[in-house]
Amino acid sequence: MAAGEEVLAKGWVRTKRGNKEIAFIALNDGSTIKNIQIVVDKNPETEAVLSKISTGACIGVRGRLVESVGSGQAVEIRASEITVYGECDPMRYPLQKKDTSFEYLRTVAHMRPRTNTFGAILRLRSQMAFAIHEYFHSRGFVYLNTPLITASDAEGAGQMFQVTTLPLENVPKDKKGRPDFSKDFFGKQTSLTVSGQLEGELGATALGEIYTFGPTFRAENSNTPRHLAEFWMIEPEMAFYDIKDNMDLAEDFIKHLVKYALDNCYDDVKFLSDRYDPELIERLQSVIGTEFVRLEYTEGIKILEEAVRNGVQFEYPVSWGVDLQSEHERYLVEKHFGKPVILTGYPKDIKAFYMKQNEDGKTVRAMDVLFPKIGEIIGGSEREADLQKLESRIDELGMSRRNLEWYIDTRRFGSCPHSGFGLGFERLLLFVTGMQNIRDVIPFPRTPKNAEF
Ligand code: 4AD
Ligand code: MG
């Protein structure tokens, strides 16, 4: 749009200020971090309209676009007609200047998209989702929708939300006194999915390369800044990929997404950087421009043990066999290497049943991508393609083979080497936005004791 044109702008008022002759309104329609300045000449008629306009009000403005004399914007609108769609009582509006803490804004998550910060975050979220679909689509991956309601615990961690229509106050019991799930809606015990991977493998062993992108649920009672009970995960799964191909894809994928954010969402990233995190842009650029470290778990443990000997203090102890805590992951990434690390060859006892076992009988071909400020951002592996090995691992872990027959069929009929991984969408957004708490990169967070809005 060029100066001189007649325009109609509709949006929400960010601020109103002015003097005796003139009023300035900063208007935002949510499409960008930038407001458009509205200039209104005061007279009895406009004063009446202006009296109804305050921060948060929704208005429509007709007027002429003119070059701005003030600094801060190239053009502004000289208003000729203003419609007030919705007034906003300044005394009761939940978004007040005096409390803009993230903690407070979480309590008014129904209103926080109106703030500059959440506008930027939510636009970034949308752009990144698009970039993910585009990345896979342009490489011939098939987008596969996996079920949200499932009868299997893919990760075997038992952190599932049960789905039932049985009456809780009077649950029908079987002969042994246990809940009788044959009377339940699906005729068996069901839960919300913790991962679409197992069904993803069915897709990959037929279509070659697939990805899923959907909501994922975990009833882990961990109140951390990196865990949600409902989050979104992207899970590509590829036939004929070994662990190395898997790592290459993960590294390329995540670099592509970070670069996409800088190339396509620069205004929003810059806003968040200026306001909260001066090193954000540098951190994003450094990830794009560097080769990720690839390290065996065993070597990682040696580095951490050495650090402890040199006086570094961790809350949780480290030794071969333990699952790494985010403090350990961040030490490797931020202190030791100063760049992202892909850790492989984890002990089989701390990883899921489906991972390909190494010759040593102790480790599996797992890979976790560890990021600065975040810790684990991606988890994945090469999959066990050997029927016998898979079945014996399932038995060893005391899992029920009966519920997994459909999955095991992929190894019975035309089994093939394959690999995949899962990227936590909100962990990616934490990285790209520089936010500190995962509750602030999803519109309506679900965490223990919190399902508001
Ligand atoms: O490492 P995870 O548990 O791996 C899987 O679920 C595999 N089935 C993935 C696969 O190989 N297809 O989870 C993958 C990623 C983690 O690295 C993390 O980024 C994210 O999902 N994640 C969570 N994000 C937010 N809140 C939680 N509670 C999360 N749990 C995992
Ligand atoms: Mg993991």
Side-chain angles (χ1 to χ4, degrees):
M1 289 240 156
E5 281 184 60
E6 283 293 317
V7 293
L8 169 62
K10 298 175 184 177
W12 292 267
V13 173
R14 288 286 201 254
T15 56
K16 185 183 81 171
R17 59 191 177 85
N19 54 35
K20 283 213 179 76
E21 286 94 47
I22 211 162
F24 298 102
I25 297 168
L27 193 68
N28 190 288
D29 70 354
S31 64
T32 145
I33 193 75
K34 292 178 180 148
N35 301 326
I36 180 92
Q37 173 155 283
I38 313 292
V39 185
V40 191
D41 286 323
K42 286 192 178 170
N43 57 46
E45 196 188 325
T46 57
E47 296 259 26
V49 181
L50 282 167
S51 70
K52 296 183 187 165
I53 296 175
S54 57
T55 297
C58 183
I59 64 172
V61 180
R62 258 180 221 289
R64 200 156 48 84
L65 210 57
V66 296
E67 270 170 40
S68 178
V69 282
S71 63
Q73 63 272 320
V75 288
E76 58 195 20
I77 300 175
R78 283 264 155 188
S80 53
E81 186 190 334
I82 299 182
T83 308
V84 178
Y85 296 117
E87 292 179 48
C88 181
D89 181 349
M91 303 306 285
R92 295 178 54 220
Y93 190 42
L95 301 178
Q96 300 283 344
K97 277 229 169 70
K98 64 180 186 320
D99 193 354
T100 54
S101 71
F102 285 105
E103 288 76 13
Y104 170 71
L105 290 175
R106 274 172 227 144
T107 69
V108 290
H110 60 304
M111 283 281 137
R112 66 181 184 173
R114 299 260 194 105
T115 64
N116 289 329
T117 298
F118 283 88
I121 293 168
L122 295 179
R123 278 188 298 273
L124 267 160
R125 188 177 165 106
S126 169
Q127 291 283 336
M128 295 317 279
F130 177 76
I132 287 161
H133 283 296
E134 193 204 22
Y135 179 89
F136 287 121
H137 192 79
S138 69
R139 284 161 181 76
F141 283 58
V142 174
Y143 177 38
L144 185 78
N145 297 126
T146 53
L148 299 190
I149 299 174
T150 172
S152 72
D153 179 357
E155 294 304 298
Q159 298 163 326
M160 308 184 82
F161 289 101
Q162 204 168 316
V163 174
T164 181
T165 54
L166 291 178
L168 287 182
E169 65 288 354
N170 186 18
V171 177
K173 300 280 170 62
D174 65 12
K175 289 197 196 88
K176 290 185 178 154
R178 295 172 308 200
D180 184 359
F181 290 107
S182 71
K183 303 237 164 51
D184 205 348
F185 188 90
F186 296 105
K188 56 166 71 172
Q189 191 173 4
T190 52
S191 309
L192 294 177
T193 185
V194 294
S195 161
Q197 178 196 321
L198 301 193
E199 292 89 353
E201 289 186 50
L202 307 182
T205 54
L207 299 159
E209 292 162 349
I210 65 95
Y211 71 103
T212 73
F213 186 176
T216 310
F217 307 89
R218 294 197 185 173
E220 49 193 335
N221 203 355
S222 41
N223 250 310
T224 81
R226 280 177 306 277
H227 289 87
L228 289 165
E230 177 180 289
F231 63 101
W232 287 63
M233 187 156 49
I234 301 101
E235 295 186 276
E237 190 72 32
M238 298 75 61
F240 314 117
Y241 272 50
D242 66 12
I243 186 72
K244 160 118 189 349
D245 303 324
N246 206 24
M247 288 192 268
D248 290 345
L249 182 72
E251 182 169 343
D252 183 67
F253 177 48
I254 206 156
K255 282 178 173 168
H256 175 91
L257 296 177
V258 174
K259 184 166 186 315
Y260 189 96
L262 282 174
D263 290 350
N264 296 276
C265 320
Y266 190 76
D267 286 349
D268 287 325
V269 173
K270 179 83 168 61
F271 169 82
L272 295 171
S273 173
D274 288 347
R275 182 168 288 191
Y276 304 106
D277 185 354
E279 288 158 18
L280 176 62
I281 291 175
E282 202 185 312
R283 200 158 57 243
L284 300 187
Q285 279 164 343
S286 86
V287 159
I288 301 168
T290 192
E291 210 172 295
F292 296 2
V293 174
R294 298 184 183 192
L295 188 75
E296 290 286 325
Y297 168 92
T298 302
E299 298 304 314
I301 292 292
K302 281 186 195 154
I303 293 170
L304 292 167
E305 285 176 332
E306 177 70 23
V308 171
R309 276 196 294 279
N310 292 332
V312 175
Q313 297 200 344
F314 294 119
E315 198 181 328
Y316 294 89
V318 272
S319 62
W320 200 94
V322 301
D323 206 355
L324 295 187
Q325 301 294 323
S326 121
E327 56 174 348
H328 305 132
E329 298 171 338
R330 291 184 58 179
Y331 178 86
L332 290 173
V333 171
E334 291 164 26
K335 298 280 181 342
H336 191 82
F337 291 106
K339 51 162 121 176
V341 174
I342 311 185
L343 212 56
T344 56
Y346 281 81
K348 69 175 183 192
D349 291 334
I350 57 170
K351 290 292 183 187
F353 74 96
Y354 50 70
M355 295 192 181
K356 184 173 170 69
Q357 299 167 39
N358 281 321
E359 302 295 307
D360 63 11
K362 292 195 308 197
T363 60
V364 286
R365 273 181 216 175
M367 58 166 226
D368 279 8
V369 181
L370 313 179
F371 252 47
K373 296 263 185 194
I374 311 289
E376 179 189 339
I377 195 165
I378 283 180
S381 74
E382 184 170 344
R383 318 306 189 190
E384 184 54 76
D386 182 274
L387 175 64
Q388 264 86 50
K389 283 190 184 156
L390 182 69
E391 284 184 330
S392 61
R393 190 68 188 137
I394 292 171
D395 295 345
E396 234 170 77
L397 290 168
M399 298 170 66
S400 150
R401 250 202 245 177
R402 202 157 49 91
N403 280 338
L404 285 169
E405 288 303 333
W406 54 272
Y407 176 74
I408 301 171
D409 268 356
T410 53
R411 276 60 166 182
R412 287 195 185 103
F413 308 113
S415 185
C416 76
H418 62 287
S419 299
F421 61 82
L423 167 67
F425 189 43
E426 287 77 17
R427 300 254 176 111
L428 170 75
L429 289 168
L430 276 179
F431 184 71
V432 166
T433 61
M435 290 295 110
Q436 309 269 350
N437 194 309
I438 199 160
R439 293 166 178 80
D440 299 327
V441 294
I442 187 165
F444 306 105
R446 297 291 177 252
T447 51
K449 301 280 180 289
N450 172 37
E452 198 76 41
F453 315 109

